[in-house]
């Protein structure tokens, strides 16, 4: 049974004070949820503050929005995997479509970063997804296959256990236009099938695949109750702690009480 993973991708938002206040509210709302893995992905400048505000909370983990593939040296403006580890970061989002589109990130670059992240014991959240033009041209499967094979090249089956995939159709990001549960499930099922070809079926069955793109409290549960949707990568709706908490609750098994903790393995 795959444990759902819900992540708050704050993008280029949140000062340190805003981040601390968010965490305080979120802990009050979902502090004892243990049947969903919750990750906050702040901008680099707020990571230390989020870490401090989380204190000893084991429920919520920290992610970063990007990193560089070199270990250190003359790379002005970049951040290394070791620097993220130093701030107690556990996950790193790689290949987000905003970076692919605005900053020229290619599958090859994403692949180098995935390699270095795994070597540093960071868990990559690898983003894939098609544009509207590609969907209209019937290229969804070709694009997903190419992004997955490129980004995960040379990654061993055993290491794949530590990877999370985020399916984020570009046309659904920040647009208010969500993929329907059926469209998302179809893409997720194809992604799992492709992961099986890249590694093996047993490994693919264990890998968590998040959906991202205009996830809101009112569509989260329907999306996450699809068989191959194992959580959400949330942008806009993750900036408000109440709506993010509501989305986290939408990931909980139906039988869970509002605050009851159910032990589960990631
Ligand atoms: P959105 O962003 O929820 O604002 O659509 C999702 C993402 O880009 O991760």
């Amino acid at each position: 049974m795959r444990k759902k993973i819900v992540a708050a991708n704050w993008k280029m938002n949140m000062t340190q004070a805003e981040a601390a206040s968010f965490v305080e509210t979120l802990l009050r709302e979902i502090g004892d949820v243990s049947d969903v893995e919750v990750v906050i992905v702040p901008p680099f400048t707020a990571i230390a503050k989020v870490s401090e505000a989380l204190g000893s909370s084991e429920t919520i983990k920290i992610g970063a929005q990007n990193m560089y593939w070199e270990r250190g040296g003359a790379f002005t403006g970049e951040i290394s995997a070791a620097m993220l580890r130093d701030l107690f970061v556990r996950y790193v989002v790689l290949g987000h479509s905003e970076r692919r589109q605005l900053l020229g990130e290619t599958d090859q670059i994403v692949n180098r970063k995935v390699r270095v992240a795994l070597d540093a014991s960071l868990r990559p959240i690898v983003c894939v997804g098609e544009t509207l033009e590609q969907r209209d041209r019937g290229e969804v499967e070709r694009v997903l296959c190419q992004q997955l094979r490129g980004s995960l090249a040379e990654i061993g089956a055993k290491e794949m256990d530590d990877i999370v995939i985020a399916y984020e159709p570009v046309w659904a990001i920040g647009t208010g236009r969500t993929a329907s549960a059926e469209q998302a499930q179809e893409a997720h099922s194809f992604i799992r099938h492709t992961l099986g070809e890249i590694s093996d079926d047993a490994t693919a069955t264990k890998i968590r695949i998040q959906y991202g793109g205009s996830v809101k409290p009112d569509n989260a549960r329907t999306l996450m109750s699809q068989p191959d949707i194992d959580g959400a990568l949330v942008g806009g709706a993750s900036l408000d702690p109440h709506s993010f908490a509501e989305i986290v609750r939408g990931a909980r098994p139906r039988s869970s009480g509002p605050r009851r903790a159910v032990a589960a393995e990631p």
Side-chain angles (χ1 to χ4, degrees), residues 7-11 93 96-98 127 166 168-170 172-177 211-216 232-238:
N9 176 13
W10 286 351
K11 308 191 179 185
V93 175
H96 190 279
S97 65
E98 284 150 16
C127 303
E168 299 206 308
V170 178
I173 296 177
T175 58
R177 192 178 154 188
Y211 170 80
S214 297
V215 175
K216 305 272 181 286
L233 183 55
V234 189
S238 78

Side-chain angles (χ1 to χ4, degrees), residues 47-242:
I47 289 178
K49 197 60 167 183
V50 168
S51 178
E52 182 190 314
L54 285 174
S56 59
S57 165
E58 288 290 312
T59 313
I60 302 172
K61 303 197 174 76
I62 304 175
Q65 297 178 18
N66 180 37
M67 54 161 248
Y68 197 54
W69 63 77
E70 293 286 355
R71 278 165 225 289
F75 303 102
T76 302
E78 296 296 338
I79 300 280
S80 73
M83 290 169 179
L84 296 179
R85 293 284 303 172
D86 193 36
L87 291 172
F88 309 105
V89 169
R90 306 280 286 277
Y91 286 91
V92 59
V93 175
L94 297 175
H96 190 279
S97 65
E98 284 150 16
R99 297 197 60 82
R100 289 179 187 266
Q101 294 204 313
L102 302 172
L103 296 150
E105 217 160 80
T106 60
D107 292 329
Q108 197 189 8
I109 290 176
V110 177
N111 182 239
R112 287 176 87 168
K113 293 182 175 183
V114 169
R115 175 75 271 145
V116 172
L118 289 170
D119 289 345
S121 301
L122 287 167
R123 295 177 163 205
I125 298 179
V126 178
C127 303
V128 295
E130 80 287 356
T131 63
L132 189 56
E133 295 72 42
Q134 290 166 332
R135 175 164 281 268
D136 288 344
R137 285 202 299 263
E139 295 176 356
V140 176
E141 295 193 350
R142 185 191 64 74
V143 170
L144 293 179
C145 191
Q146 184 179 319
Q147 290 177 337
L148 288 166
R149 287 190 179 276
S151 305
L152 302 175
E154 311 291 325
I155 305 300
K158 204 163 173 339
E159 297 175 301
M160 296 275 271
D161 283 355
D162 285 331
I163 290 179
V164 174
I165 304 294
Y167 169 62
E168 299 206 308
V170 178
W171 47 272
I173 296 177
T175 58
R177 192 178 154 188
T178 326
S180 68
E182 294 71 32
Q183 282 173 322
Q185 167 56 27
E186 198 183 333
H188 281 233
S189 158
F190 176 77
I191 289 170
R192 199 173 304 287
H193 168 78
T194 307
L195 292 171
E197 288 180 350
I198 293 173
S199 54
D200 55 71
D201 286 347
T203 304
T205 305
K206 283 190 269 173
I207 298 175
R208 291 174 298 175
I209 309 172
Q210 297 176 304
Y211 170 80
S214 297
V215 175
K216 305 272 181 286
D218 60 3
N219 60 23
R221 183 173 281 283
T222 310
L223 284 161
M224 289 188 280
S225 53
Q226 299 300 309
D228 287 295
I229 302 187
D230 309 312
L233 183 55
V234 189
S238 78
L239 296 174
D240 173 61
H242 303 289

